[in-house]
Amino acid sequence: MFASRCCAVLVMLLLGLSTANAAQRTDFAQALREADAIRTSDAARFSALVLELKTVEEEATPAQRQYLQLLEAYRLLARGQVSDSVGVLDKLLGSKDMEIALRVRASALLVNTYALSRDFTAGLKQIDRTTALLDQVKDKAIRHQAMIAAAILYNQVGQFGLGMRNAEAVQEDEPGSRFLCMAAQLKTEASLGLDKTLPDEDYNKAIHLCESIGEPIMANLTRSYLAKKWFSEGKPNAAIELLEEHLGEVEATRYPYLIGEFNSLIAKFRLAGGDLALAERHAHAAIKQGIGFPSTKPLVTAYRVLYSIAEIQEKPYDALMYYKRYAEADKIYLDEVKAREMAYQLVQHETQAQAQEIELLNKQNEVLQLQQRVNEQKAQSSRLLILLLVVLVGSISYWAFKTKRVQMSLKRMAETDALTSICNRHHFNQQSTHTLAHAARQGEDVALVMFDLDHFKSINDRFGHDTGDWVLKRVSEHCLAFCRRVDHLGRIGGEEFAILLSGCDLRGAKRVADDCRVRIASIDTQPSGHSFLITASFGVTASSLSGYDLAKLLSHADKALYRSKREGRNRVSTFDGDVQPWTQLQVVAAGDPTAHGMATPEVASDRPFRNLIS
């Protein structure tokens, strides 16, 4: 009510009820400053003030209208109208007569806007443009705003070291309370990104600082980090209580990402505690906030919760539907994470190229100056010098190109199986170990599928090794079709393969293995010049059974693969914790007509389980 009255009085003043033109401009400038002061602490009142000011902006000076354009960009961004905000800022930055302080603020806001629109390449380039202007700005608050914007984007693209550096630079420059709050929140976020363990006191200090100045968004972002920490420490009830206590405050901010984050975390924690009804309700609430933002982590978490609930309730149709949505959202999210990293690398390379180009131009200028002095003495010497430089630059370029090609070729040879063009055993182990470590930190499911071609030695003996190589290539091509970008397929033995599936539980891995088995059995062998059947035996395990140690996953999957061999081949078996090794005595007991007191050719060649970790 009080805010409405203030707006009404302000509008009356701006509409010209004050008799003096100078007084109108003073009121307009005061209203701009008031709106700017509350734009993050009171979003509703800020939006109302900006809209009212826009109705009377013809009364303002050109500089005041530019200031109002900046506030309008803030308003649009807060409402999620990201592309509209970019349009306003581009137009504003195109003005030639804008004050440097306002230009830096607009440029810093454009950095944030590009971050929200996922145009990280443009955002990183805008950081460079903003940084180039900072030396001309005397107002510390504006410099701090630009550094905070840079820290936000660097954290988003995974460059947490740069994010930490900018946040600490703000803290050391004696900022105002608002920027001190933002720097504390960003420093906490960067610390988590760098896998630094922080005490609860650091989180609470940042929360209380932001609360004390009326900044609920930053305070509650830090609360979400604290809740994740508590959940990982085995304190789910404390984490749920913290989030639910402040959910109403978060919803009042109207910030979609933060609302989605709180609801998705509550849903995940409630599911872990067995409260399916509340977990489902909060998951749907998170999805509602994710509409229009398909690449956010809260959306992935919410769909995973709904998928798990449907499985628990034995609703296969709903489980399949939510799993598809989860897989799609997870793929989009992972692709975006990669795109953020690539955006930073791209901008870095472009910056380095520009620096090298400038350096090259400087060198060329020096050469020209030397050439001019030499020309004054002797024209012939000048021509010889130019020729020498051309030969030198050409030689350097040629050998640099050759060296790069050799490096790339060696890298490919070191990582790729020469026959099948998939990961070799060493590279598969490296990639899988990295993925498992990440999954262990995040608490995500990982599954391992191992398979071995049946009677492969018989194929080599009957049709020759060329046909055997043809089989290995076709099997690799067919199985690669089932792998996502985050999965790893590797040839770990002669005819033995393994697939590490990220974000996949035992049931999903078994489905993938069975699809691979069917696809392998359907391979048409006529192009090889011979007609025969290709089959494979599969063993499957998951982190829920075997943990996140690659050696143990491989060992357990191998034991499950033994069972597939023992039970007739061309089948999928899952590790159940009680699988016995395949021995020669069991071969005879099973009545294998090829045994005669010893293992079959393929078992003899690859069994028992070998050291698969190089």
Side-chain angles (χ1 to χ4, degrees):
M1 181 68 75
F2 174 76
S4 299
R5 284 183 190 170
C6 288
C7 290
V9 172
L10 175 62
V11 171
M12 290 175 65
L13 291 171
L14 295 175
L15 286 174
L17 294 182
S18 174
T19 56
N21 206 28
Q24 286 180 325
R25 291 177 181 172
T26 301
D27 293 334
F28 197 98
Q30 182 179 350
L32 287 171
R33 289 192 294 270
E34 180 183 0
D36 199 6
I38 62 171
R39 58 186 166 81
T40 57
S41 59
D42 191 343
R45 186 179 175 205
F46 165 74
S47 180
L49 279 172
V50 172
L51 290 174
E52 296 295 349
L53 287 168
K54 283 174 65 65
T55 64
V56 290
E57 64 177 314
E58 65 277 2
E59 302 291 339
T61 66
Q64 289 172 342
R65 286 197 289 271
Q66 289 174 346
Y67 194 359
L68 180 58
Q69 279 185 288
L70 176 65
L71 298 182
E72 171 65 0
Y74 275 116
R75 187 188 71 83
L76 292 171
L77 191 60
R79 291 174 57 86
Q81 296 173 246
V82 179
S83 59
D84 293 338
S85 181
V86 170
V88 171
L89 290 170
D90 281 338
K91 181 180 178 181
L92 181 58
L93 289 170
S95 304
K96 296 181 179 180
D97 57 343
M98 187 164 49
E99 294 178 358
I100 188 64
L102 192 64
R103 184 174 294 278
V104 170
R105 288 193 62 187
S107 184
L109 179 58
L110 189 55
V111 171
N112 282 339
T113 309
Y114 280 134
L116 286 176
S117 64
R118 304 301 189 257
D119 192 350
F120 299 105
T121 301
L124 289 165
K125 290 179 180 179
Q126 194 65 34
I127 286 178
D128 292 338
R129 299 188 192 104
T130 307
T131 304
L133 300 173
L134 291 184
D135 291 339
Q136 304 176 47
V137 179
K138 297 180 180 179
D139 191 333
K140 286 202 306 184
I142 295 176
R143 291 201 304 272
H144 295 162
Q145 180 182 352
M147 287 189 284
I148 288 293
I152 291 172
L153 187 57
Y154 283 137
N155 280 359
Q156 286 188 326
V157 299
Q159 296 299 315
F160 298 105
L162 293 174
M164 174 79 77
R165 189 185 308 167
N166 277 272
E168 289 178 340
V170 173
Q171 289 179 324
E172 294 169 1
D173 198 27
E174 300 180 355
S177 297
R178 181 170 176 275
F179 288 122
L180 192 60
C181 154
M182 297 178 75
Q185 183 266 318
L186 290 168
K187 184 177 179 180
T188 303
E189 183 179 72
S191 298
L192 292 176
L194 294 169
D195 291 331
K196 290 185 177 180
T197 302
L198 298 175
D200 291 356
E201 179 184 355
D202 288 4
Y203 293 90
N204 290 324
K205 190 179 296 183
I207 291 169
H208 294 153
L209 173 62
C210 294
E211 279 188 329
S212 67
I213 61 170
E215 292 289 353
I217 292 178
M218 271 75 78
N220 284 295
L221 278 171
T222 307
R223 280 195 182 96
S224 70
Y225 307 149
L226 181 58
K228 291 177 185 177
K229 177 176 182 289
W230 283 352
F231 183 76
S232 68
E233 293 173 346
K235 299 185 286 187
N237 292 334
I240 292 171
E241 182 179 352
L242 176 66
L243 295 173
E244 289 185 341
E245 179 182 354
H246 296 277
L247 181 58
E249 179 184 333
V250 167
E251 290 173 343
T253 67
R254 299 182 182 179
Y255 184 30
Y257 175 83
L258 184 58
I259 298 171
E261 176 76 349
F262 262 58
N263 278 291
S264 68
L265 290 177
I266 293 172
K268 177 181 177 180
F269 300 163
R270 285 290 186 187
L271 175 63
D275 193 338
L276 303 187
L278 283 176
E280 183 175 12
R281 189 179 78 187
H282 285 286
H284 282 297
I287 291 170
K288 182 178 179 182
Q289 295 300 321
I291 295 174
F293 299 94
S295 58
T296 60
K297 186 65 174 177
L299 197 61
V300 176
T301 302
Y303 278 129
R304 180 170 183 140
V305 168
L306 293 176
Y307 155 63
S308 301
I309 291 172
E311 275 201 323
I312 294 170
Q313 295 176 341
E314 297 183 353
K315 296 179 180 179
Y317 175 80
D318 290 346
L320 179 59
M321 177 185 67
Y322 285 126
Y323 180 80
K324 287 181 178 179
R325 293 179 182 176
Y326 156 70
E328 181 181 358
D330 189 48
K331 181 179 182 301
I332 294 173
Y333 172 71
L334 292 174
D335 286 347
E336 180 172 302
V337 171
K338 190 65 176 178
R340 295 179 188 182
E341 296 173 355
M342 290 299 295
Y344 178 77
Q345 297 299 329
L346 176 63
V347 172
Q348 285 294 100
H349 290 161
E350 288 182 358
T351 302
Q352 291 174 2
Q354 290 173 357
Q356 291 172 354
E357 184 177 355
I358 293 171
E359 181 65 20
L360 179 60
L361 290 173
N362 290 335
K363 294 294 184 184
Q364 289 175 344
N365 287 334
E366 292 176 6
V367 170
L368 290 174
Q369 291 174 4
L370 289 173
Q371 179 184 344
Q372 184 178 1
R373 289 196 295 268
V374 171
N375 281 338
E376 293 173 355
Q377 299 174 4
K378 194 174 182 181
Q380 183 62 30
S381 298
S382 176
R383 286 193 293 270
L384 291 175
L385 178 59
I386 293 172
L387 179 60
L388 178 61
L389 288 173
V390 170
V391 172
L392 180 61
V393 171
S395 299
I396 292 173
S397 300
Y398 172 76
W399 285 111
F401 173 75
K402 292 286 287 184
T403 302
K404 185 63 177 179
R405 290 194 62 180
V406 170
Q407 289 175 342
M408 292 177 65
S409 176
L410 291 174
K411 186 175 184 293
R412 270 196 307 272
M413 291 171 62
E415 296 178 350
T416 305
D417 178 64
L419 177 63
T420 61
S421 297
I422 62 176
C423 291
N424 59 25
R425 187 176 74 183
H426 178 69
H427 189 54
F428 173 81
N429 290 342
Q430 280 187 329
Q431 296 289 89
S432 298
T433 300
H434 176 76
T435 298
L436 287 167
H438 177 76
R441 290 195 300 270
Q442 300 296 324
E444 295 179 348
D445 288 330
V446 181
L448 181 74
V449 176
M450 182 182 291
F451 64 94
D452 185 285
L453 300 184
D454 298 329
H455 303 299
F456 184 72
K457 187 175 185 301
S458 176
I459 293 174
N460 277 333
D461 292 343
R462 290 169 58 199
F463 307 117
H465 287 282
D466 287 343
T467 302
D469 290 347
W470 181 90
V471 170
L472 292 174
K473 292 177 182 179
R474 297 293 85 74
V475 168
S476 299
E477 291 170 0
H478 281 68
C479 292
L480 195 60
F482 291 95
C483 296
R484 304 163 296 170
R485 291 184 181 180
V486 295
D487 300 331
H488 309 301
L489 169 64
R491 182 185 176 197
I492 59 176
E495 67 272 17
E496 195 164 32
F497 299 81
I499 308 174
L500 190 78
L501 301 168
S502 298
C504 186
D505 58 12
L506 187 64
R507 181 179 299 179
K510 188 175 180 182
R511 285 198 297 267
V512 171
D514 203 51
D515 288 342
C516 285
R517 181 190 65 80
V518 172
R519 181 67 70 88
I520 291 171
S522 67
I523 293 175
D524 180 10
T525 61
Q526 292 298 331
S528 72
H530 305 281
S531 179
F532 55 92
L533 178 65
I534 304 172
T535 63
S537 300
F538 288 76
V540 181
T541 188
S543 56
S544 58
L545 294 174
S546 307
Y548 294 94
D549 180 68
L550 180 59
K552 187 175 290 185
L553 284 164
L554 287 167
S555 175
H556 290 175
D558 191 69
K559 289 179 180 179
L561 194 157
Y562 272 127
R563 188 166 67 191
S564 294
K565 292 285 188 182
R566 185 170 64 245
E567 294 178 356
R569 299 181 175 83
N570 192 21
R571 63 190 62 233
V572 178
S573 299
T574 57
F575 176 69
D576 58 7
D578 188 27
V579 180
Q580 298 300 322
W582 181 241
T583 66
Q584 292 182 358
L585 291 176
Q586 287 173 311
V587 174
V588 177
D592 190 331
T594 65
H596 301 298
M598 61 189 294
T600 60
E602 69 207 66
V603 173
S605 65
D606 281 323
R607 309 296 183 211
F609 175 66
R610 299 152 306 174
N611 180 13
L612 297 175
I613 304 298
S614 60

